[in-house]
Amino acid sequence: MDILLISANRERTPYPVFPLGLSYLAGPLAERGHRLKVLDLCFADDPESAVSTALDEFTPDAVVLSIRNIDNVTFPGSRSYLPGVKKIVDICRGRVPVIAGGSGFSIMPAEILAYLDADYGVVGEGEEILPELLTCISDGLIPESLPGVLVREKTGFLPARLIQSIRPAERGLFPLERYYREGGMANLQTKRGCPFSCIYCTYPLLEGRAIRVRPIGDIITEIRSLVEGFGIGYIYFVDDIFNYPPEFAEELCQAMISEKLQINWTAFINPAFITPSLLQTMIAAGCDAVEFGSESGSASMLRNLGKSFTVDDLRNSSRLCREAGADFAHYILFGGPGESEATIDETFALMDELEPTAVIAMTGIRIFPGTPLHASALADGTLAAETSLLEPVFYISPPIRETLCQMVTERALARKNWVAPGLEINMSDAMLEALRHFPVRGPLWKLMKRLGRSRIRPMSATVVESAV
């Protein structure tokens, strides 16, 4: 079959993200004999025209539409991507079967399939099940018995099937060079699955709780292909947590050192599983910056958010980074259950103490179905059962719902290393566009050391209307 692979993601803030999920499908589909064409809409000036042209010129037998995210999970500056995706489906409908999938789709598959009016949906990992679905379509069969496959106007679907062997991504059909030029890094995954219990997180729902690691040799081969085949000099490891299990991270870094790979990289790490030895090994393997999903500097809020570490873990891991000379950033989520002005002040005080390169703060927490936060919001009455979550809906602790954004703005502006995307503090589309003119490699927050003071772009309107 002739298959048109469409990457629907058009978000370029803070930088364009290579469609890794779709690239995982290219290899298995090509091995089955399918002829593939990729249409990446991230850089398209007119996405609807680009889709129409691709359909006319390639005349595919099926369209596979990958949805990375359904919105930008940013409050108060939230925006939904689904209307734009629906326009793409509308152009394809009636001409060719449309199969929707991707991490964004898999969060609310039945609701999104109905909204888009696509023909089929694939929940979760599609490397194995998508070729089976295409065989059914080719043979004129209704694929209701395939795990994780939805059919338009059919209710229900079987649970998705997790793959056990994660193969390398196939990047050759995609504009990797442009992503690297404009985004400053390439992305790579070493494992899937998350055993932790953060109350807002969808990783365990999408990838399961059991960690499935890739063979070290396969990862090294993929890194080498990025360096030697594409001229990549910086990698972002997209694993939920890079340093868990610690022994796997140690083994991978030792292999990178042994192979003398000329690469620098960044990753999210858990502060409870970093040691001086592991950090030094990571740095020797090319790591020059790390990111912590800290979410709060308040002990009570860490417990409320279901975090697996303590305030002392944040102190110790930050100290190790400072002593080793590694840039580091803490990501903060304000507004969760139990948040108050006192816990907000605790977080600012801890960040002042830790002196990270940057603090990236989000106000409000996007509610996704199936998460403990969703159940909590329903139980405490802050979310009605009939509320649709297709549009961005955020949890903000009731006592500070009206004042959260103001409190964070006032405090963040007094500190030059804070970034608050939703409040446009040290983060706006214009600022990011200007930064892209610099030869930046790695995350843009590393440039915070060059800023002399915090900046804000004036915002308008009410900032609480989309919150719960």
Side-chain angles (χ1 to χ4, degrees), residues 239-261:
D239 307 336
D240 183 31
I241 301 294
F242 176 82
N243 63 323
Y244 189 87
E247 58 273 14
F248 177 78
E250 177 79 29
E251 183 181 357
L252 174 58
C253 290
Q254 291 291 357
M256 294 173 67
I257 295 169
S258 298
E259 293 294 322
K260 297 181 171 60
L261 297 171

PDB file of all heavy atoms in Angstrom, residues 239-261:
ATOM      1  N   ASP A 239      13.508  10.208  27.552  1.00  0.00           N
ATOM      2  CA  ASP A 239      12.984   9.315  28.581  1.00  0.00           C
ATOM      3  C   ASP A 239      12.333  10.135  29.688  1.00  0.00           C
ATOM      4  O   ASP A 239      12.814  11.211  30.054  1.00  0.00           O
ATOM      5  CB  ASP A 239      14.113   8.480  29.203  1.00  0.00           C
ATOM      6  CG  ASP A 239      14.932   7.746  28.167  1.00  0.00           C
ATOM      7  OD1 ASP A 239      14.415   7.493  27.068  1.00  0.00           O
ATOM      8  OD2 ASP A 239      16.092   7.439  28.463  1.00  0.00           O
ATOM      9  N   ASP A 240      11.261   9.583  30.249  1.00  0.00           N
ATOM     10  CA  ASP A 240      10.612  10.243  31.380  1.00  0.00           C
ATOM     11  C   ASP A 240      11.635  10.528  32.472  1.00  0.00           C
ATOM     12  O   ASP A 240      11.691  11.637  33.016  1.00  0.00           O
ATOM     13  CB  ASP A 240       9.481   9.343  31.898  1.00  0.00           C
ATOM     14  CG  ASP A 240       8.709   9.993  33.021  1.00  0.00           C
ATOM     15  OD1 ASP A 240       8.604  11.225  33.029  1.00  0.00           O
ATOM     16  OD2 ASP A 240       8.228   9.261  33.904  1.00  0.00           O
ATOM     17  N   ILE A 241      12.443   9.531  32.808  1.00  0.00           N
ATOM     18  CA  ILE A 241      13.542   9.685  33.762  1.00  0.00           C
ATOM     19  C   ILE A 241      14.773   8.989  33.184  1.00  0.00           C
ATOM     20  O   ILE A 241      14.766   7.776  32.985  1.00  0.00           O
ATOM     21  CB  ILE A 241      13.207   9.062  35.138  1.00  0.00           C
ATOM     22  CG1 ILE A 241      11.952   9.715  35.729  1.00  0.00           C
ATOM     23  CG2 ILE A 241      14.386   9.211  36.094  1.00  0.00           C
ATOM     24  CD1 ILE A 241      12.115  11.175  36.073  1.00  0.00           C
ATOM     25  N   PHE A 242      15.832   9.736  32.923  1.00  0.00           N
ATOM     26  CA  PHE A 242      17.022   9.137  32.323  1.00  0.00           C
ATOM     27  C   PHE A 242      17.768   8.234  33.311  1.00  0.00           C
ATOM     28  O   PHE A 242      18.264   7.170  32.939  1.00  0.00           O
ATOM     29  CB  PHE A 242      17.975  10.241  31.828  1.00  0.00           C
ATOM     30  CG  PHE A 242      19.272   9.710  31.285  1.00  0.00           C
ATOM     31  CD1 PHE A 242      19.345   9.231  29.986  1.00  0.00           C
ATOM     32  CD2 PHE A 242      20.420   9.670  32.085  1.00  0.00           C
ATOM     33  CE1 PHE A 242      20.539   8.727  29.481  1.00  0.00           C
ATOM     34  CE2 PHE A 242      21.613   9.171  31.588  1.00  0.00           C
ATOM     35  CZ  PHE A 242      21.674   8.696  30.290  1.00  0.00           C
ATOM     36  N   ASN A 243      17.847   8.657  34.564  1.00  0.00           N
ATOM     37  CA  ASN A 243      18.726   7.968  35.515  1.00  0.00           C
ATOM     38  C   ASN A 243      18.018   6.904  36.347  1.00  0.00           C
ATOM     39  O   ASN A 243      18.469   6.558  37.454  1.00  0.00           O
ATOM     40  CB  ASN A 243      19.405   8.977  36.447  1.00  0.00           C
ATOM     41  CG  ASN A 243      18.419   9.756  37.313  1.00  0.00           C
ATOM     42  OD1 ASN A 243      17.333  10.097  36.865  1.00  0.00           O
ATOM     43  ND2 ASN A 243      18.809  10.036  38.551  1.00  0.00           N
ATOM     44  N   TYR A 244      16.914   6.377  35.811  1.00  0.00           N
ATOM     45  CA  TYR A 244      16.262   5.261  36.480  1.00  0.00           C
ATOM     46  C   TYR A 244      15.905   4.210  35.443  1.00  0.00           C
ATOM     47  O   TYR A 244      15.277   4.530  34.426  1.00  0.00           O
ATOM     48  CB  TYR A 244      14.993   5.701  37.229  1.00  0.00           C
ATOM     49  CG  TYR A 244      14.421   4.606  38.091  1.00  0.00           C
ATOM     50  CD1 TYR A 244      14.875   4.424  39.394  1.00  0.00           C
ATOM     51  CD2 TYR A 244      13.471   3.725  37.596  1.00  0.00           C
ATOM     52  CE1 TYR A 244      14.374   3.400  40.185  1.00  0.00           C
ATOM     53  CE2 TYR A 244      12.968   2.702  38.377  1.00  0.00           C
ATOM     54  CZ  TYR A 244      13.425   2.544  39.668  1.00  0.00           C
ATOM     55  OH  TYR A 244      12.942   1.524  40.446  1.00  0.00           O
ATOM     56  N   PRO A 245      16.332   2.958  35.657  1.00  0.00           N
ATOM     57  CA  PRO A 245      17.156   2.458  36.751  1.00  0.00           C
ATOM     58  C   PRO A 245      18.590   3.025  36.689  1.00  0.00           C
ATOM     59  O   PRO A 245      19.144   3.148  35.592  1.00  0.00           O
ATOM     60  CB  PRO A 245      17.163   0.940  36.538  1.00  0.00           C
ATOM     61  CG  PRO A 245      16.047   0.655  35.577  1.00  0.00           C
ATOM     62  CD  PRO A 245      15.903   1.865  34.741  1.00  0.00           C
ATOM     63  N   PRO A 246      19.195   3.333  37.835  1.00  0.00           N
ATOM     64  CA  PRO A 246      20.535   3.938  37.846  1.00  0.00           C
ATOM     65  C   PRO A 246      21.585   3.075  37.169  1.00  0.00           C
ATOM     66  O   PRO A 246      22.479   3.593  36.488  1.00  0.00           O
ATOM     67  CB  PRO A 246      20.826   4.110  39.347  1.00  0.00           C
ATOM     68  CG  PRO A 246      19.494   4.123  40.005  1.00  0.00           C
ATOM     69  CD  PRO A 246      18.627   3.215  39.199  1.00  0.00           C
ATOM     70  N   GLU A 247      21.485   1.757  37.349  1.00  0.00           N
ATOM     71  CA  GLU A 247      22.498   0.882  36.756  1.00  0.00           C
ATOM     72  C   GLU A 247      22.442   0.905  35.231  1.00  0.00           C
ATOM     73  O   GLU A 247      23.473   0.768  34.558  1.00  0.00           O
ATOM     74  CB  GLU A 247      22.349  -0.543  37.275  1.00  0.00           C
ATOM     75  CG  GLU A 247      20.996  -1.199  37.023  1.00  0.00           C
ATOM     76  CD  GLU A 247      19.967  -0.916  38.092  1.00  0.00           C
ATOM     77  OE1 GLU A 247      20.190  -0.001  38.915  1.00  0.00           O
ATOM     78  OE2 GLU A 247      18.927  -1.626  38.107  1.00  0.00           O
ATOM     79  N   PHE A 248      21.248   1.086  34.673  1.00  0.00           N
ATOM     80  CA  PHE A 248      21.126   1.164  33.220  1.00  0.00           C
ATOM     81  C   PHE A 248      21.748   2.469  32.717  1.00  0.00           C
ATOM     82  O   PHE A 248      22.466   2.480  31.702  1.00  0.00           O
ATOM     83  CB  PHE A 248      19.657   1.085  32.813  1.00  0.00           C
ATOM     84  CG  PHE A 248      19.426   1.239  31.334  1.00  0.00           C
ATOM     85  CD1 PHE A 248      19.660   0.183  30.468  1.00  0.00           C
ATOM     86  CD2 PHE A 248      18.975   2.439  30.809  1.00  0.00           C
ATOM     87  CE1 PHE A 248      19.452   0.321  29.109  1.00  0.00           C
ATOM     88  CE2 PHE A 248      18.764   2.584  29.446  1.00  0.00           C
ATOM     89  CZ  PHE A 248      19.001   1.521  28.594  1.00  0.00           C
ATOM     90  N   ALA A 249      21.480   3.577  33.415  1.00  0.00           N
ATOM     91  CA  ALA A 249      22.083   4.852  33.037  1.00  0.00           C
ATOM     92  C   ALA A 249      23.599   4.784  33.118  1.00  0.00           C
ATOM     93  O   ALA A 249      24.307   5.285  32.228  1.00  0.00           O
ATOM     94  CB  ALA A 249      21.549   5.969  33.942  1.00  0.00           C
ATOM     95  N   GLU A 250      24.107   4.144  34.153  1.00  0.00           N
ATOM     96  CA  GLU A 250      25.563   3.987  34.308  1.00  0.00           C
ATOM     97  C   GLU A 250      26.144   3.182  33.156  1.00  0.00           C
ATOM     98  O   GLU A 250      27.167   3.566  32.562  1.00  0.00           O
ATOM     99  CB  GLU A 250      25.856   3.293  35.640  1.00  0.00           C
ATOM    100  CG  GLU A 250      27.325   2.990  35.897  1.00  0.00           C
ATOM    101  CD  GLU A 250      28.109   4.196  36.357  1.00  0.00           C
ATOM    102  OE1 GLU A 250      27.511   5.085  36.999  1.00  0.00           O
ATOM    103  OE2 GLU A 250      29.321   4.250  36.080  1.00  0.00           O
ATOM    104  N   GLU A 251      25.500   2.084  32.808  1.00  0.00           N
ATOM    105  CA  GLU A 251      26.001   1.231  31.728  1.00  0.00           C
ATOM    106  C   GLU A 251      25.976   1.972  30.392  1.00  0.00           C
ATOM    107  O   GLU A 251      26.922   1.878  29.596  1.00  0.00           O
ATOM    108  CB  GLU A 251      25.154  -0.039  31.638  1.00  0.00           C
ATOM    109  CG  GLU A 251      25.640  -1.026  30.589  1.00  0.00           C
ATOM    110  CD  GLU A 251      24.777  -2.259  30.489  1.00  0.00           C
ATOM    111  OE1 GLU A 251      23.816  -2.389  31.283  1.00  0.00           O
ATOM    112  OE2 GLU A 251      25.044  -3.101  29.605  1.00  0.00           O
ATOM    113  N   LEU A 252      24.909   2.704  30.130  1.00  0.00           N
ATOM    114  CA  LEU A 252      24.821   3.450  28.877  1.00  0.00           C
ATOM    115  C   LEU A 252      25.915   4.509  28.803  1.00  0.00           C
ATOM    116  O   LEU A 252      26.583   4.655  27.764  1.00  0.00           O
ATOM    117  CB  LEU A 252      23.441   4.094  28.749  1.00  0.00           C
ATOM    118  CG  LEU A 252      23.241   5.030  27.556  1.00  0.00           C
ATOM    119  CD1 LEU A 252      23.507   4.316  26.241  1.00  0.00           C
ATOM    120  CD2 LEU A 252      21.837   5.635  27.559  1.00  0.00           C
ATOM    121  N   CYS A 253      26.106   5.249  29.874  1.00  0.00           N
ATOM    122  CA  CYS A 253      27.128   6.294  29.860  1.00  0.00           C
ATOM    123  C   CYS A 253      28.527   5.705  29.697  1.00  0.00           C
ATOM    124  O   CYS A 253      29.371   6.270  28.973  1.00  0.00           O
ATOM    125  CB  CYS A 253      27.041   7.126  31.136  1.00  0.00           C
ATOM    126  SG  CYS A 253      25.576   8.175  31.234  1.00  0.00           S
ATOM    127  N   GLN A 254      28.789   4.602  30.347  1.00  0.00           N
ATOM    128  CA  GLN A 254      30.097   3.959  30.187  1.00  0.00           C
ATOM    129  C   GLN A 254      30.316   3.536  28.744  1.00  0.00           C
ATOM    130  O   GLN A 254      31.425   3.663  28.200  1.00  0.00           O
ATOM    131  CB  GLN A 254      30.204   2.752  31.124  1.00  0.00           C
ATOM    132  CG  GLN A 254      30.285   3.081  32.602  1.00  0.00           C
ATOM    133  CD  GLN A 254      31.595   3.752  32.996  1.00  0.00           C
ATOM    134  OE1 GLN A 254      32.496   3.932  32.183  1.00  0.00           O
ATOM    135  NE2 GLN A 254      31.703   4.124  34.268  1.00  0.00           N
ATOM    136  N   ALA A 255      29.257   3.046  28.102  1.00  0.00           N
ATOM    137  CA  ALA A 255      29.373   2.646  26.697  1.00  0.00           C
ATOM    138  C   ALA A 255      29.622   3.867  25.808  1.00  0.00           C
ATOM    139  O   ALA A 255      30.419   3.797  24.852  1.00  0.00           O
ATOM    140  CB  ALA A 255      28.104   1.924  26.254  1.00  0.00           C
ATOM    141  N   MET A 256      28.972   4.979  26.100  1.00  0.00           N
ATOM    142  CA  MET A 256      29.196   6.199  25.324  1.00  0.00           C
ATOM    143  C   MET A 256      30.638   6.681  25.475  1.00  0.00           C
ATOM    144  O   MET A 256      31.260   7.153  24.514  1.00  0.00           O
ATOM    145  CB  MET A 256      28.214   7.286  25.761  1.00  0.00           C
ATOM    146  CG  MET A 256      26.754   6.975  25.449  1.00  0.00           C
ATOM    147  SD  MET A 256      25.575   8.179  26.144  1.00  0.00           S
ATOM    148  CE  MET A 256      25.970   9.645  25.193  1.00  0.00           C
ATOM    149  N   ILE A 257      31.178   6.549  26.680  1.00  0.00           N
ATOM    150  CA  ILE A 257      32.566   6.936  26.916  1.00  0.00           C
ATOM    151  C   ILE A 257      33.508   6.022  26.140  1.00  0.00           C
ATOM    152  O   ILE A 257      34.447   6.481  25.473  1.00  0.00           O
ATOM    153  CB  ILE A 257      32.883   6.887  28.423  1.00  0.00           C
ATOM    154  CG1 ILE A 257      32.067   7.943  29.173  1.00  0.00           C
ATOM    155  CG2 ILE A 257      34.374   7.100  28.667  1.00  0.00           C
ATOM    156  CD1 ILE A 257      32.113   7.803  30.688  1.00  0.00           C
ATOM    157  N   SER A 258      33.260   4.727  26.203  1.00  0.00           N
ATOM    158  CA  SER A 258      34.125   3.752  25.529  1.00  0.00           C
ATOM    159  C   SER A 258      34.131   3.955  24.021  1.00  0.00           C
ATOM    160  O   SER A 258      35.166   3.773  23.359  1.00  0.00           O
ATOM    161  CB  SER A 258      33.677   2.326  25.856  1.00  0.00           C
ATOM    162  OG  SER A 258      33.775   2.059  27.238  1.00  0.00           O
ATOM    163  N   GLU A 259      32.966   4.331  23.474  1.00  0.00           N
ATOM    164  CA  GLU A 259      32.852   4.522  22.029  1.00  0.00           C
ATOM    165  C   GLU A 259      33.379   5.877  21.569  1.00  0.00           C
ATOM    166  O   GLU A 259      33.428   6.148  20.363  1.00  0.00           O
ATOM    167  CB  GLU A 259      31.392   4.371  21.602  1.00  0.00           C
ATOM    168  CG  GLU A 259      30.835   2.976  21.757  1.00  0.00           C
ATOM    169  CD  GLU A 259      31.500   1.988  20.819  1.00  0.00           C
ATOM    170  OE1 GLU A 259      31.803   2.365  19.667  1.00  0.00           O
ATOM    171  OE2 GLU A 259      31.720   0.840  21.247  1.00  0.00           O
ATOM    172  N   LYS A 260      33.749   6.726  22.531  1.00  0.00           N
ATOM    173  CA  LYS A 260      34.300   8.053  22.221  1.00  0.00           C
ATOM    174  C   LYS A 260      33.367   8.855  21.293  1.00  0.00           C
ATOM    175  O   LYS A 260      33.807   9.462  20.315  1.00  0.00           O
ATOM    176  CB  LYS A 260      35.700   7.934  21.602  1.00  0.00           C
ATOM    177  CG  LYS A 260      36.727   7.311  22.537  1.00  0.00           C
ATOM    178  CD  LYS A 260      38.087   7.248  21.881  1.00  0.00           C
ATOM    179  CE  LYS A 260      39.168   6.828  22.872  1.00  0.00           C
ATOM    180  NZ  LYS A 260      38.930   5.505  23.464  1.00  0.00           N
ATOM    181  N   LEU A 261      32.097   8.834  21.614  1.00  0.00           N
ATOM    182  CA  LEU A 261      31.116   9.549  20.806  1.00  0.00           C
ATOM    183  C   LEU A 261      31.242  11.057  21.032  1.00  0.00           C
ATOM    184  O   LEU A 261      31.213  11.523  22.172  1.00  0.00           O
ATOM    185  CB  LEU A 261      29.705   9.083  21.158  1.00  0.00           C
ATOM    186  CG  LEU A 261      29.400   7.608  20.867  1.00  0.00           C
ATOM    187  CD1 LEU A 261      28.053   7.218  21.450  1.00  0.00           C
ATOM    188  CD2 LEU A 261      29.431   7.340  19.372  1.00  0.00           C
TER     189      LEU A 261
END
